[in-house]
Amino acid sequence: MSSIPLDYETLRLIWWALLGILLIGFAVMGGRDLGVGALLPFVARTDAERRVLINVVGPTWEGNQVWLVLGGGAIFAAFPPLYAVSFSGFYLAMIVILLALILRPVGFKFRGKVTDPRWRSTWDWALFIGGFVPSLIFGVAVGNVLLGAPFYLDDTLRTFYSGNFFQLLMPFALLSGLVSLGMIVLQGAAVIAGRTSGILADRARTYGTWAGLATIVLFALGGLWVAFGMDGYVITSVVDTNGAINPLGKTVELVPGGWVSNYALYPWMIIAPVLGFLGLVGGVLGLQARLRLPTLLASSLAIFGIIATAGLSLFPFLLPSSVVPDSSLTLWDASSSHLTLFIMLLATLIFLPLVVAYTAWVFRVMRGTVTTQSLEKNPNAY
């Protein structure tokens, strides 16, 4: 491995950061579509208005799913034990998310095939479910990661999961789900307000403002809960950051306020929750001031700050075990090999900039205000 210019520890840190970037990328880009879907039945109240909202995200939603695929692929290739435990243990939750996500392409394609109002209303609610459910459950999943998942490893590193779907719906996890839903709705409102006009934009500003204010309160409540009402996981043994994959080679304990210990060790991490609050406040103020691009940037900053807060609080844990804490998966003992991470990094340095460049070009081409008049002139509109 001496020929690899980056040591194992550095590559592990890079891939931990890249995984966070990919997940944030999906929340920001995919959050545009999820947020618009969650707001669809409330902001748009006529068929013409709903067509406008659908066509705001219709041309770009498929490309935004690339970030979700990249995130899942990064977990599979860079952190195989995390993929094995999370995708098998949270299987039912994953199925619910998948089914909800499937409703979106079907809704986009099928809604306009029949002019019957009942047909279109059915698919409108399908699009709502496709936006609301993933936004909520993704947050619930993050909450459960902070609580710890009920799994353990035996001496041969086989995984045993002892939980069920309904155990995921703990109060703190539901609170995390509401934070996720609120920030995604704010993102959707920023998109609608920025790309529509008149009553649609006004309604989006109203719902977005309430979502932003609620998320500020919920995010603060979640922070207080983590700091003072929840035990966090802490590694109490010596950590070999260049060691081989062996999640059982450490000692982990639950301690009060354990999840905020990183902010004492690395004071710079406080910037994450600060950015989260600043983004939420900026998004609300931007909606009220009718600022288009600044509002969208602020809501995207809020998503970055909120997700980064969770990731930095967990560091170096990827998935703690609530049953046998020593079985918890961490950055240092649940990654792929040194060579695998390096080869993946080279591929990422080539293809990720291409994805970003293409995405930027598509959004530049599709920019502008969507109106009922513009849809009448476009034979390819949904």
Side-chain angles (χ1 to χ4, degrees), residues 96-167:
V96 171
I97 291 175
L98 180 61
L99 292 176
L101 290 175
I102 288 174
L103 288 176
R104 294 196 302 153
V106 176
F108 280 127
K109 301 298 183 182
F110 281 13
R111 183 188 186 276
K113 299 299 183 181
V114 179
T115 57
D116 185 346
R118 290 174 298 179
W119 171 271
R120 293 193 171 186
S121 177
T122 299
W123 290 114
D124 289 338
W125 283 104
L127 289 170
F128 164 75
I129 294 172
F132 176 89
V133 171
S135 301
L136 180 69
I137 295 185
F138 279 131
V140 170
V142 173
N144 275 281
V145 172
L146 287 164
L147 290 169
F151 76 94
Y152 65 92
L153 306 174
D154 67 7
D155 293 338
T156 62
L157 299 184
R158 290 185 302 169
T159 302
F160 295 87
Y161 188 85
S162 58
N164 58 60
F165 175 80
F166 295 101
Q167 287 180 330

Side-chain angles (χ1 to χ4, degrees), residues 29-103:
M29 304 304 296
R32 298 165 56 95
D33 318 319
L34 297 175
V36 172
L39 287 170
L40 180 63
F42 310 105
V43 172
R45 299 174 186 176
T46 67
D47 181 68
E49 290 177 347
R50 289 175 181 174
R51 283 195 67 209
V52 169
L53 291 199
I54 290 171
N55 281 277
V56 165
V57 297
T60 56
W61 74 268
E62 290 177 288
N64 292 337
Q65 306 313 299
V66 170
W67 295 94
L68 178 60
V69 175
L70 291 175
I75 294 174
F76 171 78
F79 304 105
L82 173 62
Y83 181 89
V85 174
S86 60
F87 278 69
S88 59
F90 298 152
Y91 185 75
L92 288 178
M94 297 288 184
I95 290 296
V96 171
I97 291 175
L98 180 61
L99 292 176
L101 290 175
I102 288 174
L103 288 176

